[in-house]
Amino acid sequence: MSIERTRNFCIIAHIDHGKTTLSDRLLESTGTIAEREKQDQLLDSMDLERERGITIKAHPVAMRYRAKDGHDYRLNLLDTPGHVDFAYEVSRSLAACEGALLIVDAAQGVEAQTVANVHLALKQGLTIIPVINKIDLPNADLPTVKKQLEDILAIPADEAIAASAKAGIGIQDILEAVVARIPAPKAQDDTLRGLVFDSVFDGYRGVVSYIRVMSGSVIPGTAVKLMSTNKSYEIKEVGVFTPKMFQQKQLNAGDVGYFIANIKSTAEIKIGDTLTDARRPASEPLPGFQEVNPMVYSGIYPINTADFEHLKMAMGKLQLNDAAFVFQPESSVALGFGFRCGFLGLLHMEIIQERLRREYNMDIIATYPSVIYEVIRTNGERLEVDNPANLPDMSVIEEIREPVVKCFVMIPNENIGDMMQLMLDKRGTVEHTESLDSRRVMITATLPLNEILVDFHDKIKTLTRGYGSMDYEPAGYRASDLVKLEMLVNGEPVDAFSSIVHREKAEGRGRALAAKLKEVIPTQLYQVSIQAAIGGKIVARENVSAMRKNVTAKCYGGDITRKRKLLEKQKEGKKRMKAIGTVNIPQEAFIQVLRTS
Ligand code: GDP
């Protein structure tokens, strides 16, 4: 297909607004797949993803469409992951397109994720076609949604296409709009520049990489190189997904498809990298490439220490298809041998943990997640700390900086008061509040990433009875009054419970953790002291009193010497335990504390 008759686009939408259903419809009405083939749908394959209503990876699909102008067009539909954790991957998929369908649910209206995604698409200069979906619903409210498009997203309302993916309304209009409104790709010259926007590991084929050819051609048998690593490879095969892999002689400028080369693992191929001709390379790589770095770290430990090797293997397998997930061995005094793992965000972390549990049957415990702190030492040295246990002594620290995010929260009007309080509790600064319609407001705020990691989203859902939504984008680092909180058991710091917290919150958290520990540490023969310390200063203390075994109960009558001997022995026992300073804390106790903290 010629470059003038090619259109590359993706669909951006908030969860549940109908992306999957509309994709299916487009594939059906272009005859790409038949209704009966839908079970092995490609745009949403993993169970876990389906459950959570997110897509992490799906391959692009090439459709052929005969437009009203009588010409055949090649429409390439690219998928975008549906969550902000994968914002960089989304941005690279968007960069491979000239346009995007923006789906908004006619009854729900614009949601937080819609705003974040539109920002990304506009940054890439994409043509946006707004689609108001689910107009078949009795509570569809077109005028309000149109007003929201204009007011919140600055998209002209008369551009919107009213549709129902379920009832098959407006599908033809959408296809025509893709042809008419989205510009054809343009190539600057004939030098090969290919944007690699994803890659998967296939057990039989090896690494299959998804590519958008910006200029030049990718031809099997030729030598190419990836510009970020400068490594050369030979192209073995190229093709498109129709939706099955369909081999082609070559991929040309404007095309979206796949290539297979002698690349061994997905770790070698970086999302956003530029593929070029090894003999006649482009002088500059395509713009926008970034190394993706994890944003959130957590320790993952096998509950049964014998499972260490098995866990390592399972993590290695997950990494094959997810180069953004990183792990390396670490050990904890409390939890034994495990791994320090890095994730793109909290959802990414939950997905990996869930997959380890479900697909690999691993019984694991994860430590409290931590963000990456930038620490400036008094000698000017800068270091990154992702594990609270590695924070240097406060006396040699000049400043600690923490990552912050810009957060969009959409909630019903009546919850504004509670939401403002929650923002305050989470150390957020509200930038502005905007009315969405007569019922809802959007609050834009800056918050420390650390504060939204664990229960922010759940709290929003609870306080709005499920009606609130939120999304966020990274907004750099800022200096903050942070301290290391340590928990000591009989004077010994327990690494698994260390955390970096804001000074104002440290004491409260220390007290709560001490109280929880008191609850879960069983009574021992000797007294156990539990302390919370901030920079060596004890801020909370709890004691688990000694179980006073009535050792003399057995001694009937008046054998006083025997009684005394027994009491002496008991005292010695206490002393010995105290001197060693070890306490028998059952693993279960750690699990409970880490789960509740
Ligand atoms: P996604 O999360 O954006 O991929 O959304 P889905 O395509 O999975 O759709 C979410 C839910 O909305 C499903 O239960 C669909 O059946 C339903 N749905 C999608 N489009 C329509 C529509 O046009 N009308 C109605 N009534 N329901 C729809």
Side-chain angles (χ1 to χ4, degrees):
M1 196 71 65
S2 72
I3 192 164
E4 298 80 38
R5 300 259 158 79
T6 300
R7 299 291 182 271
N8 297 315
F9 71 107
C10 55
I11 302 180
I12 56 185
H14 186 77
I15 291 165
D16 272 351
H17 283 199
K19 182 165 93 169
T20 315
T21 315
L22 182 67
S23 306
D24 284 353
R25 281 283 173 196
L26 297 178
L27 299 189
E28 265 165 50
S29 69
T30 53
T32 315
I33 57 164
E35 180 91 39
R36 62 187 154 73
E37 285 180 288
K38 257 167 64 179
Q39 280 88 314
D40 51 307
Q41 232 308 350
L42 6 110
L43 283 166
D44 217 327
S45 48
M46 234 162 69
D47 280 354
L48 194 64
E49 293 177 17
R50 207 187 288 264
E51 259 169 48
R52 294 186 168 242
I54 43 150
T55 44
I56 299 166
K57 257 172 206 175
H59 53 65
V61 186
M63 301 179 274
R64 182 184 283 262
Y65 173 65
R66 175 154 301 170
K68 285 195 181 130
D69 65 9
H71 294 295
D72 278 349
Y73 287 83
R74 159 66 57 82
L75 310 184
N76 292 313
L77 170 59
L78 282 75
D79 193 28
T80 55
H83 194 275
V84 68
D85 279 5
F86 308 99
Y88 174 67
E89 294 184 28
V90 176
S91 86
R92 293 307 84 203
S93 295
L94 295 175
C97 299
E98 276 76 27
L101 295 179
L102 163 69
I103 307 185
V104 182
D105 183 310
Q108 301 295 322
V110 170
E111 295 278 2
Q113 213 182 340
T114 324
V115 181
N117 279 328
V118 169
H119 284 181
L120 280 174
L122 290 176
K123 252 189 232 164
Q124 299 293 332
L126 262 57
T127 299
I128 292 181
I129 302 175
V131 174
I132 304 177
N133 189 34
K134 307 199 189 181
I135 56 159
D136 59 306
L137 287 177
N139 57 339
D141 183 356
L142 274 161
T144 303
V145 177
K146 284 188 172 174
K147 190 163 180 317
Q148 289 177 353
L149 284 175
E150 299 212 324
D151 294 352
I152 308 166
L153 305 171
I155 294 174
D158 57 4
E159 291 181 5
I161 299 172
S164 166
K166 197 167 172 182
I169 303 167
I171 309 302
Q172 219 60 35
D173 295 340
I174 295 172
L175 289 165
E176 284 298 319
V178 167
V179 168
R181 298 191 206 169
I182 298 176
K186 274 200 252 354
Q188 60 183 100
D189 53 38
D190 63 359
T191 306
L192 173 59
R193 291 179 193 85
L195 174 67
V196 178
F197 59 91
D198 213 341
S199 68
V200 292
F201 187 79
D202 177 308
Y204 300 103
R205 321 292 303 268
V207 177
V208 179
S209 306
Y210 304 165
I211 189 171
R212 155 68 199 270
V213 186
M214 296 295 185
S215 60
S217 304
V218 192
I219 305 166
T222 58
V224 290
K225 72 171 183 178
L226 287 165
M227 294 184 82
S228 81
T229 57
N230 216 22
K231 272 197 182 161
S232 294
Y233 302 94
E234 188 192 314
I235 297 284
K236 303 281 182 210
E237 182 185 321
V238 298
V240 296
F241 296 96
T242 65
K244 302 225 159 55
M245 275 168 102
F246 185 58
Q247 204 172 329
Q248 306 274 293
K249 284 204 183 72
Q250 62 184 76
L251 289 178
N252 298 319
D255 287 347
V256 171
Y258 70 87
F259 71 86
I260 297 172
N262 49 336
I263 299 174
K264 289 196 189 63
S265 88
T266 50
E268 272 178 70
I269 186 142
K270 302 202 166 88
I271 292 180
D273 206 345
T274 303
L275 186 83
T276 192
D277 196 308
R279 286 187 200 90
R280 210 163 56 88
S283 53
E284 298 279 324
L286 296 163
F289 173 72
Q290 272 174 33
E291 295 273 355
V292 259
N293 294 314
M295 300 258 287
V296 179
Y297 281 83
S298 154
I300 296 184
Y301 290 81
I303 292 205
N304 182 350
T305 40
D307 283 342
F308 179 82
E309 285 301 324
H310 189 181
L311 179 61
K312 185 175 172 184
M313 189 202 68
M315 286 182 168
K317 282 201 176 147
L318 287 181
Q319 198 181 40
L320 272 183
N321 252 327
D322 186 355
F325 162 55
V326 298
F327 64 96
Q328 63 181 62
E330 75 166 359
S331 66
S332 149
V333 180
L335 302 172
F337 291 99
F339 299 92
R340 190 85 196 149
C341 304
F343 312 94
L344 293 176
L346 207 66
L347 181 84
H348 189 211
M349 177 176 97
E350 285 173 14
I351 288 171
I352 297 272
Q353 291 178 1
E354 245 346 80
R355 292 189 68 183
L356 287 169
R357 292 196 177 104
R358 285 196 204 181
E359 293 168 34
Y360 295 92
N361 269 326
M362 297 300 314
D363 216 0
I364 50 170
I365 170 92
T367 65
Y368 202 72
S370 170
V371 297
I372 303 166
Y373 296 94
E374 259 181 34
V375 177
I376 311 294
R377 283 174 176 267
T378 40
N379 65 5
E381 198 187 320
R382 180 185 159 280
L383 66 155
E384 289 187 348
V385 174
D386 64 52
N387 185 346
N390 300 338
L391 189 74
D393 192 83
M394 291 308 273
S395 64
V396 296
I397 294 177
E398 180 75 38
E399 187 173 274
I400 305 179
R401 295 175 189 155
E402 65 179 336
V404 289
V405 295
K406 186 169 177 180
C407 190
F408 310 98
V409 183
M410 296 196 173
I411 49 161
N413 292 340
E414 64 264 29
N415 303 124
I416 296 181
D418 291 342
M419 192 62 224
M420 290 296 182
Q421 186 55 49
L422 179 62
M423 291 281 191
L424 214 63
D425 292 347
K426 298 288 187 187
R427 300 191 281 127
T429 358
V430 174
E431 271 148 37
H432 55 261
T433 308
E434 205 176 328
S435 200
L436 292 176
D437 48 51
S438 58
R439 298 174 294 122
R440 295 187 309 156
V441 286
M442 173 164 94
I443 301 173
T444 311
T446 305
L447 292 127
L449 176 62
N450 173 48
E451 294 286 343
I452 65 164
L453 275 190
V454 177
D455 57 358
F456 189 57
H457 189 235
D458 290 346
K459 285 211 161 118
I460 294 176
K461 285 282 175 201
T462 311
L463 74 87
T464 60
R465 297 199 321 282
Y467 290 109
S469 69
M470 79 105 166
D471 208 340
Y472 64 87
E473 57 194 35
Y477 271 76
R478 88 177 168 203
S480 200
D481 191 6
L482 299 163
V483 290
K484 173 148 112 181
L485 173 68
E486 286 187 303
M487 300 306 295
L488 316 179
V489 174
N490 275 358
E492 301 255 338
V494 182
D495 56 357
F497 298 139
S498 294
S499 54
I500 295 176
V501 259
H502 193 261
R503 191 181 296 279
E504 278 170 16
K505 292 193 164 184
E507 212 174 306
R509 185 172 147 80
R511 246 184 265 123
L513 274 176
K516 184 75 202 173
L517 273 169
K518 178 181 177 177
E519 220 177 274
V520 296
I521 294 181
T523 318
Q524 322 242 337
L525 279 171
Y526 43 91
Q527 177 176 305
V528 177
S529 78
I530 300 164
Q531 297 163 311
I534 301 171
K537 192 173 150 257
I538 307 297
V539 293
R541 183 192 308 267
E542 294 279 353
N543 285 326
V544 181
S545 29
M547 153 179 14
R548 198 176 158 83
K549 244 211 225 157
N550 197 353
V551 286
T552 59
K554 282 185 270 186
C555 313
Y556 316 106
D559 188 352
I560 189 77
T561 37
R562 200 166 152 229
K563 255 187 198 170
R564 186 165 295 137
K565 254 189 198 155
L566 278 169
L567 283 170
E568 287 294 325
K569 232 171 135 185
Q570 194 188 19
K571 232 166 138 189
E572 216 177 276
K574 278 187 204 170
K575 252 194 240 149
R576 196 171 66 233
M577 293 306 268
K578 264 188 185 155
I580 298 165
T582 51
V583 179
N584 278 327
I585 310 177
Q587 171 98 18
E588 206 31 52
F590 280 101
I591 297 171
Q592 281 192 37
V593 174
L594 288 170
R595 283 204 179 129
T596 50
S597 56

